[in-house]
Amino acid sequence: MKISIRTLLLAFFAILIFSYGCKKYDVADKDLLTAKTVSPLVAKAEMTSWIDRHVATSQAETQSYHLLKQNLNYEAAHVQKRKNGEDVLVIPVNDAIREKLKLNANYALKVITVKKNGKPRWSMIIAFLAGDGKTKSTLNNNSIQGIVNNERLEEDGLYKFFDLKGRLLYQVSYKDKKITSYGAVQAKDKRNGKDKVMSTNGSGTGNSTKMLLPEQEDCTEYYLVTTYYDQYGNPEYQTWEYLFTLCKDGNGGGGGGGGGGTPPEDPIDVEMTQEFSFPVAYTSFRPEDYRLPEGALSATPEGTPLTYDCKVSVTFASSTRKIHGVQAYPLVIHPANETYLHPEYGRIVRNVTPFSQSHNASYAGQKVSAYWTSIVNFRWAYLDRNSLPNTDDLDFNHSTSFIF
């Protein structure tokens, strides 16, 4: 059977186009490897029920919850998995919510709801603005994974986190995959009648215009306190931006600040602990046949490279990332015991033990600092030569700091 050149060319281009289309699909699909679609009706029923469990303490909060329920894109809802196995329901947000939050059109908004044993546990509205501030942003699944797993984010820009009634919890900005600023909402009581103020529109939208209040009312001002960091993680300066004021009447009610219930396991009061490990791997060694770290000297390595593991934990509030405490753990060296074969001396046994240790961790705002010092004892022996053990001690020092 004869096949014309024209037919072959058409077949070739068809295969090429099909192959290109598959590659494009694969690239686009990588972001959805951890995502699973969910029925819009199921997502709507679940989210509506969850929002209804939040008790509004004012008419404004009631309206906010109602507006949110009516402006979630349930058709595009999907579920991801956290690293701890919990489900995360992700739902895009319509423009009406963005406008309520006074965010420009380039922000991407989604609501995430973390579920434990199939039941909603906590939710946040996430708003993301790309690094240049001018590009229409997209909040991809990789970024959401970073957020729910409390990891560094790969996508540069400004991330804002709101509760379901639209109140800002905190915000963080990234540049070159490093945190450049962190802002959290802080309260400031006003108990002197001359200092009592509130926003003139009473809506808590960030309008800094104020007016005096009657002296008998107790009011609390809320500010966005933002700390800016240099490329090394050192605080450079701090700004205070007035957001809104909440007031109580004599009976403890009114003004949106008089109490009210919260849903079970509300994240505001839930603390989490996250551990960070900073392995220090030595690649240069003394010119002896056992593996001792020694700065500038090097030799053909034998055995397994030593790794000095320095670990610090951070305890923080899950919804605001406010740090409550930090702890440094003792230095761990691995492999601590090893028998390996040297091409000239035969079997060698090596034991590494840190002692006289000192370690500490501290924090200031969102910056965590930690250090470790130790004397490291090395014991080694040549098993095939029946030699007595040899010993040596080396000093170890390591410090680190990072923005959480």
Side-chain angles (χ1 to χ4, degrees), residues 136-304:
K136 181 65 176 177
S137 307
T138 57
L139 185 59
N140 63 44
N141 290 333
N142 291 332
S143 294
I144 292 174
Q145 279 292 310
I147 291 167
V148 298
N149 291 307
N150 301 298
E151 298 173 338
R152 297 293 179 92
L153 303 182
E154 298 292 318
E155 198 169 2
D156 289 346
L158 176 62
Y159 297 81
K160 289 177 174 283
F161 302 87
F162 302 83
D163 62 18
L164 294 185
K165 56 181 171 284
R167 188 167 297 168
L168 182 66
L169 298 171
Y170 73 98
Q171 66 181 40
V172 59
S173 63
Y174 280 79
K175 184 177 181 181
D176 299 328
K177 301 180 183 180
K178 294 181 180 179
I179 295 177
T180 57
S181 72
Y182 171 86
V185 178
Q186 294 189 21
K188 185 177 181 182
D189 288 332
K190 289 292 182 181
R191 302 200 177 274
N192 184 336
K194 295 181 180 179
D195 294 330
K196 293 172 183 174
V197 293
M198 70 178 291
S199 61
T200 55
N201 58 18
S203 62
T205 59
N207 190 327
S208 59
T209 306
K210 305 175 183 179
M211 69 179 185
L212 293 178
L213 295 169
E215 289 192 14
Q216 68 268 22
E217 291 187 292
D218 288 330
C219 296
T220 302
E221 290 183 353
Y222 290 86
Y223 291 81
L224 175 62
V225 182
T226 305
T227 304
Y228 295 84
Y229 303 91
D230 63 19
Q231 60 180 328
Y232 305 106
N234 300 311
E236 289 190 303
Y237 61 95
Q238 194 175 72
T239 61
W240 286 64
E241 178 186 351
Y242 173 76
L243 295 177
F244 55 88
T245 299
L246 294 181
C247 296
K248 297 180 182 179
D249 59 24
N251 297 318
T262 54
E265 297 187 86
D266 191 282
I268 301 300
D269 298 320
V270 175
E271 290 187 11
M272 303 174 65
T273 299
Q274 184 174 356
E275 294 184 356
F276 300 86
S277 183
F278 306 95
V280 184
Y282 284 100
T283 56
S284 298
F285 301 87
R286 284 185 176 183
E288 286 88 345
D289 54 309
Y290 55 89
R291 299 203 60 156
L292 284 181
E294 183 66 16
L297 297 178
S298 63
T300 301
E302 306 294 341
T304 304

Side-chain angles (χ1 to χ4, degrees), residues 24-87:
K24 285 184 66 179
Y25 177 82
D26 289 343
V27 171
D29 198 48
K30 285 181 180 179
D31 191 44
L32 297 174
L33 291 178
T34 61
K36 183 174 66 174
T37 58
V38 61
S39 164
L41 293 177
V42 171
K44 183 175 182 178
E46 186 173 54
M47 199 64 196
T48 300
S49 174
W50 170 239
I51 295 175
D52 286 342
R53 292 175 62 189
H54 291 68
V55 180
T57 61
S58 67
Q59 183 62 30
E61 289 187 5
T62 300
Q63 293 173 353
S64 295
Y65 288 137
H66 179 74
L67 184 67
L68 181 62
K69 287 190 294 185
Q70 300 302 314
N71 284 280
L72 295 180
N73 184 2
Y74 299 105
E75 297 291 331
H78 70 268
V79 174
Q80 297 187 32
K81 284 283 188 183
R82 296 180 82 186
K83 287 187 175 179
N84 64 3
E86 292 178 339
D87 286 333

Side-chain angles (χ1 to χ4, degrees), residues 110-125:
K110 292 183 179 180
V111 167
I112 63 168
T113 300
V114 175
K115 300 193 294 182
K116 184 177 183 179
N117 298 324
K119 297 181 179 180
R121 190 160 67 90
W122 57 270
S123 297
M124 286 194 297
I125 303 173

Side-chain angles (χ1 to χ4, degrees), residues 277-280 306-311 329-336 352-354 357 372 374 396:
S277 183
F278 306 95
V280 184
L306 294 172
T307 299
Y308 292 42
D309 195 10
C310 305
K311 186 166 66 174
Y329 296 92
L331 171 68
V332 176
I333 302 177
H334 49 88
V352 187
T353 308
Q357 291 203 51
W372 295 261
S374 177
F396 172 82

